[in-house]
Amino acid sequence: MPIIKILPHAEYCPDGRSVTAPAGTSICEALLDNHIDIEHACDQVCACTTCHVIVREGFASLSEMEEGEEDMLDRAWGLEANSRLSCQAILGQKDVTVEIPKYSINHAKEG
């Protein structure tokens, strides 16, 4: 099973963490299953950018990005060339390292 290394994030994973998940699982699912409560305002249907992650290692091992994800990512805060929506990034066989951006565009959370 691939390992997902999560870099430290003040709110969701202050000390960083490594979790395992079966190939074929989305990064978002794997984080949520391991009690890393990353935002996912659209309930993982590629309709927002709140689950945006930056893949620091292992980007090529993830599923290919579809057009809908590409279009949605254009709206993400802190977009980088190796950004993905974690709900759409499906694990392959290799380990990945992800960074959860400091901010997201979540109007419901901003209150």
Side-chain angles (χ1 to χ4, degrees), residues 43-84:
D43 207 22
Q44 304 180 59
V45 297
C46 195
C48 73
T49 63
T50 59
C51 71
H52 168 225
V53 295
I54 302 164
V55 182
R56 296 295 181 201
E57 293 178 20
F59 187 88
S61 70
L62 298 171
S63 60
E64 262 191 61
M65 193 180 313
E66 295 185 9
E67 188 176 335
E69 180 182 1
E70 287 180 24
D71 292 344
M72 193 56 62
L73 269 173
D74 287 340
R75 303 174 187 176
W77 183 92
L79 182 66
E80 294 189 15
N82 51 345
S83 288
R84 292 292 305 262

Side-chain angles (χ1 to χ4, degrees), residues 5-95:
K5 179 180 178 184
I6 303 100
L7 299 177
H9 181 281
E11 183 177 352
Y12 301 114
C13 194
D15 298 321
R17 195 157 152 212
S18 291
V19 300
T20 59
T25 303
S26 75
I27 291 174
C28 189
E29 275 182 297
L31 297 182
L32 294 171
D33 287 348
N34 285 279
H35 310 290
I36 299 169
D37 297 325
I38 188 170
E39 291 183 54
H40 56 289
C42 72
D43 207 22
Q44 304 180 59
V45 297
C46 195
C48 73
T49 63
T50 59
C51 71
H52 168 225
V53 295
I54 302 164
V55 182
R56 296 295 181 201
E57 293 178 20
F59 187 88
S61 70
L62 298 171
S63 60
E64 262 191 61
M65 193 180 313
E66 295 185 9
E67 188 176 335
E69 180 182 1
E70 287 180 24
D71 292 344
M72 193 56 62
L73 269 173
D74 287 340
R75 303 174 187 176
W77 183 92
L79 182 66
E80 294 189 15
N82 51 345
S83 288
R84 292 292 305 262
L85 295 181
S86 65
C87 70
Q88 301 301 301
I90 307 300
L91 295 167
Q93 297 297 327
K94 301 205 179 203
D95 298 347

